[in-house]
Amino acid sequence: MNEKLEMTKNSLYNVNEIKDIKENPVVESVLLAPIKAIPVFGDLIDSSTNKLLNDFQQKKEQELLDVILQDDHSITSEMVNDVEFIINFA
């Protein structure tokens, strides 16, 4: 199987996992509550973190699409059936 495709898929998977952990209600209420309690700066840090994670996720999605489009071999649907944003797009 295409090693570069697998590495890119794993990288995207890791970013998605980090984003899911950050958006978990328990993490939001227990770990991030003290940070959000700081007036102005708490909201700024939270929104900055969300923006950075979203941008990083989009970058990794674009990298995966680039690998798929530039591949010399055939990439089958079975190779990308575990990539959520591709399945949602389809």
Side-chain angles (χ1 to χ4, degrees), residues 30-46:
V30 175
L31 297 177
L32 298 178
I35 294 172
K36 289 182 180 182
I38 301 170
V40 181
F41 292 113
D43 291 333
L44 180 65
I45 291 170
D46 187 47

Side-chain angles (χ1 to χ4, degrees), residues 8 11-12 15 52-66:
T8 309
S11 178
L12 177 61
V15 170
L52 287 172
L53 280 173
N54 287 334
D55 289 349
F56 195 61
Q57 181 184 33
Q58 289 175 353
K59 178 184 170 199
K60 292 301 178 180
E61 288 172 352
Q62 186 60 48
E63 285 178 12
L64 180 61
L65 291 174
D66 290 343

